[in-house]
Amino acid sequence: MFASCLFACLMFASCIDEDLSRCGVNYSVEYVVRQDMHAVLQDEIDRELTSPAEQLVGARLDEELSGVYSDIAHDLDLSFFDNHQLALHQNVIVDASSARLTVYMQRADYRNLALANLAQEPTVTLDGASSDAGMAVNNLPADTIDSHVTGLFSARMDMAVDNTDQTFRADLYMLNSTAVIAINDQGLTPADVKAYVCDMAAGFAVNDSTYSFDRSPVVRTRSFTESGHHCLYATAMPSRDHSPDGNLWRMKVYVTMGGKVTESILTVGEPLRAGDVKIIKAKLNPDGSISTDEPEVGVSVTLDWKPGGSHDVEM
């Protein structure tokens, strides 16, 4: 499906008499969501959630994340840089997996940075957009933030523009990811279950496609109950690929039972990369703790946990 539109009929300088070197030319630029993101989600669901009850959880999770793992770009934020400075910027609504646009520009060597769905994500900001080196997508500056509500995509491309007809193509790749825990209640009826995802990136440098971890936020999960399971999930920027101790990210789970709160911290040694989904299957124990059989996940438990014992969780 292609969305076609004409934009940026902008002259950087007037064409004076026969000096055609100062004239612009229309160029065709195509942006394509490269991956079948729903297939990525469905593969993880099919691999991890296999029992009849888990399959019902998986069907519900598929619905819950349909707005994140989609190949449809609602909006494109397009920036063209000449000598590292912003020369042209345009926002375009496309609502499609591919968009072929016509751009009018003067001859130059441009760096094109593109972002998709930024206008639909309230938990991030675009900063430093006046230069390609400084452009970054950052989480809101808070200790605890909400889960992302949409898939964010980015692309980067060099465009050596001359005064001939040219066509350029940029592939859009997802820059956030999702962590899920599916807890089998085992017939128990907790009064409340909350979870938070920790140690994910705080920002994304668009030009060189790298992540920053200078102020890693705590991310609130969304949740639902289905077929005797509590399922909690959060979409955020990805984790580190490496760490000295091998522990890359954590999920903190708080279960209220019998008037007491039990904290279970799940530490994961497998990276959660951009575009990925990780489902952790776990069980609820009678003391309110969480356990899992997954080898890359370690669990530490604090019984009768008090909120004052942790500064980064809002209860």
Side-chain angles (χ1 to χ4, degrees):
M1 179 180 179
F2 281 82
S4 297
C5 49
L6 179 67
F7 77 95
C9 293
L10 175 68
M11 269 196 182
F12 296 104
S14 300
C15 297
I16 303 174
D17 299 331
E18 72 280 358
D19 186 7
L20 299 182
S21 66
R22 297 174 63 82
C23 294
V25 175
N26 287 331
Y27 303 96
S28 178
V29 186
E30 184 181 349
Y31 298 91
V32 181
V33 176
R34 185 63 176 174
Q35 299 164 285
D36 183 349
M37 299 313 306
H38 181 259
V40 173
L41 171 62
Q42 194 61 55
D43 286 349
E44 178 71 0
I45 289 173
D46 292 344
R47 182 168 49 251
E48 296 294 338
L49 303 177
T50 55
S51 73
E54 290 171 352
Q55 288 175 351
L56 294 174
V57 175
R60 178 73 179 275
L61 183 63
D62 189 20
E63 293 178 6
E64 294 276 330
L65 290 173
S66 61
V68 176
Y69 286 85
S70 167
D71 63 352
I72 301 300
H74 170 263
D75 56 272
L76 289 174
D77 186 281
L78 305 174
S79 298
F80 299 85
F81 298 90
D82 181 8
N83 195 25
H84 305 294
Q85 298 304 307
L86 183 64
L88 175 65
H89 174 260
Q90 189 73 29
N91 287 304
V92 185
I93 303 299
V94 294
D95 282 323
S97 59
S98 300
R100 182 176 293 147
L101 313 174
T102 300
V103 188
Y104 181 87
M105 292 190 295
Q106 276 189 298
R107 181 173 56 192
D109 291 335
Y110 294 100
R111 179 69 165 166
N112 174 216
L113 302 181
L115 293 162
N117 295 337
L118 200 65
Q120 291 193 305
E121 182 48 65
T123 68
V124 301
T125 61
L126 181 61
D127 302 315
S130 61
S131 72
D132 55 1
M135 179 182 282
V137 178
N138 292 315
N139 288 316
L140 294 176
D143 291 336
T144 306
I145 64 172
D146 290 332
S147 167
H148 296 176
V149 298
T150 190
L152 298 172
F153 296 83
S154 70
R156 55 215 51 82
M157 173 175 56
D158 290 322
M159 301 172 61
V161 171
D162 56 28
N163 282 348
T164 61
D165 290 338
Q166 293 176 270
T167 300
F168 300 91
R169 171 176 166 143
D171 293 327
L172 292 156
Y173 290 94
M174 192 170 177
L175 66 87
N176 46 0
S177 57
T178 301
V180 183
I181 185 167
I183 304 171
N184 186 337
D185 292 340
Q186 301 197 110
L188 300 169
T189 54
D192 189 36
V193 180
K194 287 185 172 68
Y196 301 82
V197 176
C198 308
D199 309 320
M200 300 304 180
F204 173 75
V206 183
N207 188 54
D208 54 8
S209 190
T210 58
Y211 293 89
S212 61
F213 294 86
D214 55 334
R215 50 173 186 83
S216 183
V218 174
V219 185
R220 300 182 187 93
T221 60
R222 296 169 177 263
S223 65
F224 62 86
T225 56
E226 179 67 50
S227 305
H229 289 72
H230 275 81
C231 187
L232 305 100
Y233 63 92
T235 299
M237 293 190 193
S239 74
R240 291 179 172 87
D241 283 335
H242 308 282
S243 72
D245 60 5
N247 298 325
L248 300 177
W249 57 280
R250 294 171 297 160
M251 182 172 281
K252 297 183 177 182
V253 183
Y254 298 87
V255 177
T256 303
M257 290 179 61
K260 296 182 179 181
V261 178
T262 298
E263 177 192 59
S264 298
I265 301 178
L266 288 74
T267 303
V268 185
E270 180 181 276
L272 184 61
R273 296 188 171 97
D276 283 354
V277 185
K278 173 61 178 177
I279 298 175
I280 299 173
K281 292 199 300 184
K283 295 178 182 180
L284 177 62
N285 301 313
D287 61 2
S289 65
I290 300 297
S291 58
T292 180
D293 295 329
E294 302 200 20
E296 73 278 10
V297 181
V299 184
S300 61
V301 175
T302 302
L303 300 175
D304 197 12
W305 176 85
K306 304 298 182 184
S310 179
H311 69 278
D312 57 6
V313 175
E314 299 175 358
M315 297 295 289

